[in-house]
Amino acid sequence: MRDKILIIDDDREIVDLLHSYLTLYGIPNQNILKAYDPVIGLNTFNENQHSIISVICDYYMPKASGAELCEIIKKNQPSTFLIIQSGDKEIKQENLNYVDAVIHKPFPYRKFEIILKQVFKV
């Protein structure tokens, strides 16, 4: 069953915020995976790809960009819903081939909830 969400971000405060938003939405703690590094994030995805429904990834990270990471993930598991987050307002979904949603930081819970409804098709 695909019911896990993977958060990949090098900023621990953002990871904690997203974790809080996901639990507020009703996602159980055991279904939220976290990685603070893109390489570890990709390894985590590869180990759990058949149970991950969505990946929330920062655009700017050391070692790899979120766009590169999303491209690799989408090629391996096309049905995974990929969300890029960034404070850079110039980053647009229409410019990112492998991304299903873009959300700009800072974002309130209600804006994030709209994207989660797309993930779970509610």
Side-chain angles (χ1 to χ4, degrees):
M1 184 167 156
R2 297 183 66 216
D3 57 0
K4 291 185 174 26
I5 295 184
L6 171 59
I7 303 167
I8 306 171
D9 197 310
D10 59 314
D11 185 333
R12 290 182 182 272
E13 289 181 18
I14 295 293
V15 172
D16 290 345
L17 174 70
L18 290 168
H19 186 271
S20 297
Y21 281 0
L22 291 167
T23 56
L24 183 62
Y25 189 77
I27 309 297
N29 279 325
Q30 67 269 20
N31 289 3
I32 302 170
L33 306 174
K34 303 175 191 177
Y36 303 102
D37 171 280
V39 174
I40 294 170
L42 185 57
N43 289 338
T44 302
F45 177 80
N46 288 333
E47 292 167 4
N48 298 279
Q49 67 179 318
H50 297 294
S51 62
I52 293 175
I53 190 169
S54 181
V55 175
I56 305 165
C57 187
D58 188 23
Y59 187 85
Y60 293 112
M61 292 182 289
K63 300 181 188 173
S65 81
E68 293 169 333
L69 203 54
C70 286
E71 181 177 353
I72 293 166
I73 290 169
K74 195 61 115 171
K75 285 180 177 177
N76 287 318
Q77 191 66 269
S79 60
T80 303
F81 195 95
L82 300 176
I83 304 164
I84 283 280
Q85 55 162 340
S86 178
D88 185 345
K89 304 288 188 216
E90 297 299 314
I91 295 173
K92 308 283 184 208
Q93 182 178 346
E94 56 268 15
N95 299 332
L96 300 171
N97 294 331
Y98 299 97
V99 174
D100 298 296
V102 173
I103 191 164
H104 294 102
K105 300 181 232 178
F107 48 86
Y109 171 75
R110 294 287 179 217
K111 193 167 195 166
F112 187 65
E113 181 182 38
I114 291 167
I115 292 175
L116 287 176
K117 287 180 180 179
Q118 291 174 16
V119 172
F120 294 103
K121 294 175 180 43
V122 175

